[in-house]
Amino acid sequence: MDFARVLRVFHEAGARVILVGGVAGRLHGAARLTDDIDFVYDRDDDNLRRLAEALAPFAPYLRGAPPGLPFEWGVRALRAGLNFTLQTSLGPIDLLGEITGGGDYAALLPHSLEGTVFGVPLRVLSLERRIAVKRAAGRPKDLEAIAELELLAEERDQQAS
């Protein structure tokens, strides 16, 4: 997975996304590794077009779908669905219209931070909102991650004071 290239592809397309998954956790200092990259995306028509065009050259296909299952990537697919777990020639990319405990792009935007990673400007979900989202999801892997994330938040707060 070429995380830097994925970020550049979305940035160059002007796509409005917020980094929310394990890569976001790593940016906050979490030790857990991840094989994919997760974004919550703005679902307005202009952004759907930007996302569709940005990923089209990288052969997006539904991850885990049987080979040969008819799937045509584009604005229509994005409009018809919500959350997409995609396999691409860049690697696995999850495009999420909303996330449990966090909502959609507009709801998460005030809880995101601006940053630069690999020289690419991006928005990343705040550590506090990441903890809340993990708690709301309640999956075993999410619950395991909360203790580490809370410790990172404590350390950050101690350094700030």
Side-chain angles (χ1 to χ4, degrees), residues 43 48-49 52 71-81 84:
R43 290 188 48 83
L48 296 182
R49 179 189 53 76
F71 176 69
E72 186 176 323
W73 175 251
V75 171
R76 191 161 64 174
L78 282 166
R79 221 181 263 128
F84 296 86

Side-chain angles (χ1 to χ4, degrees), residues 86-100:
L86 301 170
Q87 184 60 47
T88 73
S89 60
L90 295 170
I93 300 172
D94 293 354
L95 289 178
L96 310 168
E98 62 184 37
I99 55 175
T100 302

Side-chain angles (χ1 to χ4, degrees), residues 20-35:
V20 297
V23 176
R26 296 281 296 173
L27 293 178
H28 289 297
R32 292 174 182 266
L33 298 176
T34 185
D35 293 331

Side-chain angles (χ1 to χ4, degrees), residues 81-142:
L82 182 65
N83 295 337
F84 296 86
T85 56
L86 301 170
Q87 184 60 47
T88 73
S89 60
L90 295 170
I93 300 172
D94 293 354
L95 289 178
L96 310 168
E98 62 184 37
I99 55 175
T100 302
D104 63 9
Y105 179 87
L108 290 171
L109 193 57
H111 304 284
S112 67
L113 308 169
E114 292 181 15
T116 302
V117 178
F118 302 117
V120 179
L122 60 83
R123 296 202 73 84
V124 62
L125 192 61
S126 73
L127 186 53
E128 289 74 20
R129 185 51 60 146
R130 183 159 169 70
I131 292 167
V133 164
K134 290 265 182 212
R135 191 168 277 122
R139 300 173 302 185
K141 72 177 188 173
D142 294 317

Side-chain angles (χ1 to χ4, degrees), residues 32-50:
R32 292 174 182 266
L33 298 176
T34 185
D35 293 331
D36 67 355
I37 190 165
D38 306 273
F39 299 95
V40 170
Y41 64 99
D42 189 343
R43 290 188 48 83
D44 77 13
D45 285 341
D46 176 59
N47 201 53
L48 296 182
R49 179 189 53 76
R50 290 171 187 266

